[in-house]
Amino acid sequence: MLPDKLRRLVQLLARLPGVGEKTAQRFALFLVQQGDYATALGSELALLASSIGTCERCRGVSEIDAEGRFICHICRDTRRDSHLLCVVARIQDQIAIERSGAMRGRYFVLGRLLSPLDGIGPTDLPLTSLGQRIADEGVEEVIVATPPSVDGEATALLLAQEIEKLGVLVSRIASGVPHGGDLEFADQVTLGRAISQRRGISTTR
Amino acid sequence: MLPDKLRRLVQLLARLPGVGEKTAQRFALFLVQQGDYATALGSELALLASSIGTCERCRGVSEIDAEGRFICHICRDTRRDSHLLCVVARIQDQIAIERSGAMRGRYFVLGRLLSPLDGIGPTDLPLTSLGQRIADEGVEEVIVATPPSVDGEATALLLAQEIEKLGVLVSRIASGVPHGGDLEFADQVTLGRAISQRRGISTTR
């Protein structure tokens, strides 16, 4: 019942993550009714692939520079501690950590986690690029910030094995009850970790 | 922390209905990682405003024709019963009814409902266009398919008053317990309507 052009748009929009056909149709009708907005978004998207890409150093997201290279502003930032490298699974995780303001080093985005069930093994991870980066920049500590899930832990273990071979210190982000979280509603694994990974407290600092 | 260009894209995407900043960021990162897809969607959207618009007859959605006019395929379809006109609130409602296959006439999309709380009164509805359409096409029955909500019912009542003046039959879609619905979970108003608007049944047909 929709015009062909609109049906094609609905199909395209339904490829966005978490968007089904109903939502895609809602987006499409909104876009049709807001012509100027659709045009603005369209021109932004049409230029996206040529102006934004994967940072060649950290595999995060980067704008193209004057020489046509993709090096993100974090990798360029000379005030960053180049001895400290934080390995994350996804760009989203990098953004979340960056927002916390707690990371003064640089990043490396794996892009995926080990996942034997999905057939993703060690050779599917960019371990060579990671090793290269560690060597190139004289990294002294690698913080593995993969998520505290089964796949995330397996990946962390693999990374620890590989990185230790290079004689570099490897650490893992802490896992426990989140700030503001209610113990009553925390799951068993989280509570178990919070207890087994307890830290000493001192009133004298 | 995001490149400017990407931040602008996130802001644009966050204007889509029901999309907040987190979802917009997820869309944006997906689009960055799927460059070809972003380009395809971009060119589709850039041309949208010039090729898809509001049907000048039913105010539904229509592709542009060879003469540069917007007349949708339902309004063009000569096999449709032009004596029967279904008035809906939104294009989405038209699509839903069309999908049911139960409507053999044409449509008229109001675009909004009476809503005194939002300051939308009778003069904000396209009553003149509707009257014109009824007169032009010799419509004999108008089915008011506004939703069975407070605003939808108020709009239906107003339409009935206006259309009756033209000597045209006005009917309202039935409201009751939906097909496959469970009486236990139906709300009071729906159940009340289902009973007060009960129909006789006959085993002899």
Side-chain angles (χ1 to χ4, degrees):
Chain A
M1 123 92 214
L2 288 172
D4 282 348
K5 204 172 171 58
L6 204 57
R7 201 157 44 218
R8 214 160 51 234
L9 180 62
V10 170
Q11 279 165 3
L12 272 176
L13 289 169
R15 283 171 54 189
L16 286 170
V19 172
E21 213 198 304
K22 283 245 168 174
T23 308
Q25 186 183 293
R26 198 165 152 221
F27 287 173
L29 289 173
F30 177 81
L31 287 160
V32 165
Q33 285 157 0
Q34 310 269 327
D36 289 348
Y37 168 61
T39 311
L41 184 59
S43 59
E44 203 71 41
L45 288 175
L47 294 170
L48 193 69
S50 55
S51 62
I52 303 235
T54 302
C55 170
E56 55 192 67
R57 292 201 188 145
C58 71
R59 302 165 58 98
V61 64
S62 167
E63 258 176 307
I64 198 163
D65 69 8
E67 294 116 57
R69 294 181 67 184
F70 291 99
I71 302 174
C72 75
H73 67 288
I74 297 177
C75 287
R76 280 180 196 282
D77 188 351
T78 51
R79 291 162 308 174
R80 294 267 171 168
D81 184 350
S82 60
H83 303 311
L84 197 60
L85 189 71
C86 179
V87 177
V88 293
R90 304 176 311 156
I91 296 171
Q92 284 89 323
D93 302 335
Q94 180 195 10
I95 295 172
I97 294 173
E98 195 55 20
R99 202 170 274 162
S100 78
M103 179 68 195
R104 58 195 169 78
R106 297 215 177 83
Y107 296 87
F108 187 85
V109 182
L110 288 175
R112 61 209 314 185
L113 294 173
L114 276 188
S115 180
L117 287 177
D118 298 326
I120 300 175
T123 51
D124 298 310
L125 298 183
L127 296 177
T128 319
S129 313
L130 176 59
Q132 193 63 49
R133 168 115 201 219
I134 290 169
D136 285 352
E137 303 198 5
V139 171
E140 289 167 4
E141 180 181 352
V142 172
I143 303 176
V144 180
T146 54
S149 61
V150 173
D151 290 351
E153 295 295 359
T155 308
L157 212 64
L158 172 74
L159 290 176
Q161 286 166 356
E162 295 295 319
I163 296 165
E164 270 166 3
K165 286 183 200 160
L166 306 171
V168 171
L169 187 71
V170 187
S171 59
R172 179 92 177 95
I173 53 164
S175 174
V177 181
H179 176 72
D182 199 326
L183 263 66
E184 184 183 351
F185 302 117
D187 64 286
Q188 294 173 10
V189 178
T190 299
L191 270 183
R193 270 193 197 163
I195 289 171
S196 67
Q197 295 177 14
R198 66 193 178 278
R199 304 165 47 200
I201 47 174
S202 157
T203 51
T204 57
R205 277 212 237 179
Chain B
M1 123 93 216
L2 288 173
D4 282 347
K5 205 172 168 60
L6 204 58
R7 201 157 44 216
R8 216 162 48 236
L9 179 62
V10 171
Q11 280 166 3
L12 272 176
L13 289 168
R15 283 171 55 188
L16 286 170
V19 172
E21 213 198 304
K22 283 246 167 170
T23 308
Q25 184 183 294
R26 198 164 153 220
F27 287 173
L29 289 173
F30 176 82
L31 287 160
V32 164
Q33 284 157 0
Q34 309 269 327
D36 289 350
Y37 167 60
T39 311
L41 184 59
S43 59
E44 203 71 42
L45 288 176
L47 294 171
L48 193 68
S50 54
S51 62
I52 302 234
T54 302
C55 171
E56 53 192 69
R57 291 200 189 147
C58 71
R59 302 165 58 99
V61 64
S62 167
E63 259 177 305
I64 198 163
D65 68 8
E67 295 116 58
R69 293 180 67 185
F70 291 100
I71 301 173
C72 76
H73 67 288
I74 297 177
C75 286
R76 278 180 196 284
D77 188 350
T78 50
R79 291 162 307 176
R80 294 267 172 168
D81 184 350
S82 60
H83 303 312
L84 196 60
L85 189 71
C86 180
V87 177
V88 293
R90 305 178 309 157
I91 296 171
Q92 285 91 321
D93 302 334
Q94 180 195 9
I95 294 171
I97 294 173
E98 195 56 20
R99 201 169 276 162
S100 79
M103 179 67 195
R104 57 194 169 76
R106 297 212 177 87
Y107 295 87
F108 187 85
V109 182
L110 287 177
R112 62 211 311 187
L113 294 173
L114 274 189
S115 181
L117 287 177
D118 298 326
I120 301 176
T123 51
D124 299 311
L125 298 183
L127 296 176
T128 319
S129 314
L130 176 58
Q132 193 65 47
R133 170 116 200 220
I134 291 171
D136 284 354
E137 302 198 5
V139 171
E140 288 167 4
E141 180 181 352
V142 173
I143 303 176
V144 180
T146 54
S149 60
V150 173
D151 290 351
E153 295 295 0
T155 309
L157 211 63
L158 172 74
L159 290 176
Q161 286 166 356
E162 294 295 318
I163 297 165
E164 271 168 2
K165 286 183 200 160
L166 307 171
V168 171
L169 188 70
V170 187
S171 58
R172 180 89 178 94
I173 53 164
S175 173
V177 180
H179 175 74
D182 199 324
L183 263 64
E184 184 184 351
F185 301 117
D187 63 288
Q188 295 174 10
V189 177
T190 299
L191 270 182
R193 271 192 198 161
I195 290 172
S196 67
Q197 295 177 14
R198 66 194 177 278
R199 303 167 46 202
I201 48 173
S202 158
T203 51
T204 55
R205 281 213 233 176

